Amino acid sequence: MILASLRANFNGSCRYHAIRGSGISVAGQWGARACSSSPNHPKGSTWELLNRIPTPACLDPSSPQAQETSTSTFFPPEIEALYRGNQRFRDAVAASATPDVLKDLAAQGQRSSDATVGPPFLLLDCSDSRVGEQVIFSAEPGTLFTTGNVANQFHEHDLNSKAVLAYAVEALRVKHVIVMGHYGCGGVAAATLAQEARDEDDPVQAWIAPIRQIYETSERPEIASHRAARRQTGTKVALPHLHDTGFRALVEENVKANVRRIARSGVISNHYKSLEPERTGVFIHGWVYDIESGEVVDLGVTVGPPGRKIPLTPFPLRS
């Protein structure tokens, strides 16, 4: 949609960009396309102002100009879309109420030298491309310290998970750790299917094994009914639908399980034992994002330091 709109604005200007010395020929599978606007695109033109990239050589390969431009390159549309998005982000920051936020963060680091300013959240979510933390919460840079993997898993034996948690709690001194799953999670869906012999060496299958264990042992009615129906149908069943109640329940139970794992981890146990009186301590929350509606719900499983009051959240509660 973004690219279509931009191309319409440029009245069909071509997608070839002359980069001398690139060594990549414009000829080949992309074919030829002539430029409908001025081939020179003078300084200050719409193209130059909006794209902020070298003026394109909108050339017919058979023209004299094309013969002189022996090297040029094509920007794949998906990469060009990222570039344009980056430009919009920079423009939005410059026009915001805090135009120097990036410079300030670059100068002070994620946490200020006096330890008074830093990201309040560590967010562990899924790697799913439909789950964009900064977008979901309209969060400014410096708000979320994030990590993600397939089906938002935390494992004590996973060095990456442990290192991220330790750095967030001990160095950045975050106030909240959030495990955020999402309905429609492919990793959770795969855990509802019978594992075949050929899957034994599959790293994804090994990674989601704890979710499969939840699916096979949970007594939650929605999951138990889903499991019974699957066994009656046999192993050759399709992935569950987005609105399948058993599937959605498993997404929630997976989040709850990971909240418990984090709460029992060595990092959090040591943090609670050595907690200074003046520090509130870290709270661990379990939330779920609805990819269809954009809503975030709180599962009501927050864990905090012993003796400390659990803070309320304004998110809808779903137990």
Side-chain angles (χ1 to χ4, degrees), residues 58-70:
C58 294
L59 306 173
D60 181 336
S62 62
S63 70
Q65 289 174 299
Q67 300 301 319
E68 295 175 4
T69 308
S70 59

Side-chain angles (χ1 to χ4, degrees), residues 13-18 38-41 47-48 53-58:
S13 56
C14 84
R15 297 153 64 191
Y16 301 116
H17 304 253
S38 171
N40 295 321
H41 294 291
W47 178 277
E48 184 179 47
I53 47 182
T55 304
C58 294

